[in-house]
Amino acid sequence: MIEKINGNKKIYGILGYPIKHTLSPKMQNAAFLETNIDAIYLPFLVNPENISKALDGIRSLNISGFNVTIPHKTTVIEFLDEISPIAKIVGAVNTVKNFNGRLIGTNTDVWGFIRSLELLKFNPFNKKIGILGAGGSSRALLAGLSEKGASEILICNRTKEKAERLEIEFSKIYPKTKIKAVSIEKIEVSYLDLLANTTSVGMHRDESLIDLSLSNNKKNVIDIIYNPPRTKLLRQAENLNIPNLNGLYMLLYQGCEAFEFWTNLDAPEHIMKKQLLKLIN
Ligand code: ATR
């Protein structure tokens, strides 16, 4: 390890608060090693009040690129030189590259999610989708699915006003997709081609917002939670033989997309996946 650190090494990292539990360093360092890129990826604990100083530090130290996680995904934007159109729509940045001193942000959660749909052989074009939740992850899914031509998206949230605000905001950006806020009792799962949970329900307690057994003809279910790997919602889907997926692949592919944004190389997906699986199991 020590002999490999010299003046050529590029530095990448992730800014978050807390940061202890991040899985990204293992995944990205494995990717650098596999592709023979002379770089290292480090965790940075950045208190929210220091985010602007952290960005000054990144510029001064010429750090090559970084990920941004909770709680900085939105607040970081004002300190960047440029953000991609999709990050602007989502209102959040999770990946930044330092391009000759200019910090350019994007949102790879969006494409990470969309890429993960391939595992279900699901193409969002012309499909009807239900999203549970109206927070940051919900915005990423809404943007990605609308970009890919979903015909209808129903947003269902405990605080209905938040879903209604998303309806208004995203309907303006994506007039071709019918976007509607609905209450959970109104969600008719059999009407949907895909149901995606973006809430934290199922993460800390074994709970689910929806009982899938109440309707027939269910097609696809995603829970973006990856820990635990099988939430109550996904176990129920499995028992009912409904194709389903957890958030591990969204996490993997947002990492692959970030790697590709930084290096312009294809990410070594299998190695990155192996690292993630090792950490989670
Ligand atoms: P993220 O960025 O991961 O989307 P977030 O922005 O904090 O996280 O959003 C969390 C989502 O989970 C919200 O939609 C939240 O609903 P509210 O807007 O009503 O707060 C939803 N959520 C969290 N706990 C919930 C619970 N016990 N029941 C229903 N929804 C819940």
Side-chain angles (χ1 to χ4, degrees):
M1 175 72 187
I2 293 172
E3 65 273 19
K4 288 201 177 138
I5 296 183
N6 58 40
N8 291 320
K9 195 168 285 297
K10 291 191 164 140
I11 298 175
Y12 292 84
I14 178 164
L15 316 188
Y17 193 86
I19 200 64
K20 243 187 196 162
H21 301 292
T22 176
L23 305 181
S24 295
K26 281 260 159 51
M27 178 166 67
Q28 297 295 354
N29 283 314
F32 288 141
L33 203 63
E34 175 68 17
T35 50
N36 285 317
I37 294 175
D38 191 8
I40 189 164
Y41 183 104
L42 302 166
F44 295 110
L45 179 70
V46 178
N47 191 299
E49 67 192 31
N50 291 329
I51 186 70
S52 144
K53 287 187 209 149
L55 275 265
D56 287 344
I58 277 168
R59 284 193 171 87
S60 319
L61 298 170
N62 198 28
I63 286 175
S64 303
F66 57 99
N67 284 126
V68 183
T69 188
I70 292 165
H72 306 307
K73 286 187 184 187
T74 300
T75 51
V76 75
I77 291 177
E78 64 171 301
F79 306 109
L80 301 175
D81 298 302
E82 191 182 320
I83 68 168
S84 67
I86 200 74
K88 199 165 183 184
I89 289 170
V90 179
V93 157
N94 79 325
T95 304
V96 178
K97 74 174 159 194
N98 184 344
F99 189 74
N100 298 331
R102 282 177 65 75
L103 296 184
I104 303 171
T106 190
N107 189 309
T108 70
D109 289 331
V110 173
W111 308 125
F113 173 76
I114 294 296
R115 211 157 142 181
S116 78
L117 297 175
E118 287 167 17
L119 280 117
L120 291 173
K121 299 192 172 49
F122 182 83
N123 176 352
F125 184 75
N126 243 337
K127 298 290 194 323
K128 301 193 267 298
I129 295 143
I131 299 179
L132 306 178
S137 310
S138 173
R139 295 180 67 91
L141 267 62
L142 259 173
L145 293 165
S146 306
E147 289 279 335
K148 292 290 172 191
S151 57
E152 189 170 341
I153 303 179
L154 305 178
I155 315 160
C156 175
N157 196 48
R158 176 177 61 183
T159 314
K160 182 133 191 260
E161 297 71 40
K162 265 167 79 180
E164 285 167 350
R165 283 202 292 274
L166 285 189
E167 174 187 322
I168 294 167
E169 185 184 342
F170 279 80
S171 297
K172 276 189 204 141
I173 305 170
Y174 298 107
K176 286 188 184 151
T177 304
K178 189 174 158 199
I179 298 171
K180 282 234 69 78
V182 297
S183 60
I184 194 136
E185 306 79 52
K186 295 250 172 74
I187 285 242
E188 178 50 65
V189 184
S190 57
Y191 176 74
L192 302 171
D193 299 301
L194 169 71
L195 175 73
N197 175 48
T198 72
T199 75
S200 49
V201 176
M203 193 178 326
H204 308 294
R205 276 192 301 268
D206 197 31
E207 298 170 334
S208 168
L209 288 173
I210 274 207
D211 184 355
L212 298 171
S213 67
L214 298 179
S215 58
N216 302 314
N217 188 31
K218 290 139 302 211
K219 300 192 187 87
N220 294 282
V221 174
I222 290 185
D223 198 328
I224 68 159
I225 294 171
Y226 56 84
N227 193 10
R230 311 306 302 163
T231 57
K232 187 170 180 185
L233 179 70
L234 292 188
R235 291 200 314 278
Q236 194 182 30
E238 219 156 63
N239 291 336
L240 295 165
N241 287 322
I242 305 169
N244 63 85
L245 193 69
N246 70 11
L248 183 84
Y249 286 90
M250 180 176 174
L251 176 70
L252 168 66
Y253 290 130
Q254 68 73 31
C256 292
E257 296 274 336
F259 180 92
E260 288 162 9
F261 185 62
W262 294 323
T263 66
N264 292 320
L265 297 173
D266 285 344
E269 188 184 317
H270 295 296
I271 298 293
M272 294 166 85
K273 182 178 162 192
K274 205 167 116 188
Q275 286 297 328
L276 277 185
L277 288 174
K278 244 201 248 173
L279 289 172
I280 284 171
N281 297 325

